[in-house]
Amino acid sequence: MDEYKNFTEEMLKDGSTLCYLKHRFLSKKTREQLDWLLACLRDSVLIVPTLPVSGKPDFLESDDGVRFLPVFSQEKQLPPDYMEEFDLRRMRTEECVGLAKEYPDCSGLVLDGFTEAMIIEYDLTDAILRIPSRLHPKEDEKGDAEA
């Protein structure tokens, strides 16, 4: 998987790399697969459904009533009838986590909740945000030197 050592904007642009890495992780469930997925999530731009007038996000609920902010790797991961009801905002993962945390009853994110869903609770989102960027590794090194 050396080709994923540093991600490029082009690799992340359409969400297919994220979708691929999520599928591999959910299939194999290895630490290495999780590391690649989290690193990709760190630099990805996700799709967040929001209500047209208020701009508030939608939430998906698990069977036991736990609520999650739905985020999507690609538009094709959303059912057409669902997609028609919402404005689709593109947001970096860090922004998605911040938005979810604005709602006290939200427990994290759910990636591609209608297809091959992956729940990402806040302990995992916090770990994602600590991962150095693979898109701009030089900027992270500069930031670390200034800190």
Side-chain angles (χ1 to χ4, degrees), residues 4 7 11-12 16 21 40 58 65-66 72 84 93 99 113 117-118 130 134 142:
Y4 297 114
F7 296 109
M11 289 172 69
L12 301 180
S16 60
L21 291 171
C40 184
D58 187 33
V66 179
F72 297 90
E84 289 173 7
T93 300
L99 178 62
M118 179 179 173
R130 287 191 303 269
R134 291 188 180 183
K142 234 188 315 186

Side-chain angles (χ1 to χ4, degrees), residues 83-139:
M83 192 170 20
E84 289 173 7
E85 293 181 36
F86 298 94
D87 287 339
L88 304 180
R89 292 179 51 197
R90 298 194 182 278
M91 303 171 71
R92 293 215 166 272
T93 300
E94 185 174 353
E95 296 171 292
C96 295
V97 172
L99 178 62
K101 287 184 174 185
E102 289 178 22
Y103 296 87
D105 61 341
C106 182
S107 297
L109 311 175
V110 59
L111 177 61
D112 297 333
F114 295 111
T115 54
E116 194 174 33
M118 179 179 173
I119 291 175
I120 307 168
E121 294 181 345
Y122 286 133
D123 58 342
L124 197 51
T125 65
D126 294 343
I128 291 167
L129 299 179
R130 287 191 303 269
I131 295 171
S133 173
R134 291 188 180 183
L135 258 184
H136 308 288
K138 299 294 183 207
E139 288 179 18

Side-chain angles (χ1 to χ4, degrees), residues 13-136:
K13 185 176 181 178
D14 68 357
S16 60
T17 300
L18 176 58
C19 199
Y20 169 77
L21 291 171
K22 178 194 64 166
H23 174 75
R24 283 188 57 109
F25 168 70
L26 292 175
S27 298
K28 298 183 179 208
K29 301 249 185 204
T30 67
R31 178 61 196 206
E32 180 183 23
Q33 299 301 325
L34 180 62
D35 289 346
W36 286 113
L37 174 61
L38 299 182
C40 184
L41 264 167
R42 159 65 171 85
D43 292 318
S44 289
V45 174
L46 304 170
I47 300 167
V48 180
T50 59
L51 295 169
V53 176
S54 68
K56 290 184 179 180
D58 187 33
F59 291 94
L60 297 181
E61 211 169 278
S62 65
D63 292 339
D64 56 358
V66 179
R67 294 175 51 147
F68 297 95
L69 176 71
V71 297
F72 297 90
S73 58
Q74 305 169 299
E75 281 189 23
K76 69 181 181 180
Q77 302 298 321
L78 292 106
D81 58 332
Y82 179 84
M83 192 170 20
E84 289 173 7
E85 293 181 36
F86 298 94
D87 287 339
L88 304 180
R89 292 179 51 197
R90 298 194 182 278
M91 303 171 71
R92 293 215 166 272
T93 300
E94 185 174 353
E95 296 171 292
C96 295
V97 172
L99 178 62
K101 287 184 174 185
E102 289 178 22
Y103 296 87
D105 61 341
C106 182
S107 297
L109 311 175
V110 59
L111 177 61
D112 297 333
F114 295 111
T115 54
E116 194 174 33
M118 179 179 173
I119 291 175
I120 307 168
E121 294 181 345
Y122 286 133
D123 58 342
L124 197 51
T125 65
D126 294 343
I128 291 167
L129 299 179
R130 287 191 303 269
I131 295 171
S133 173
R134 291 188 180 183
L135 258 184
H136 308 288

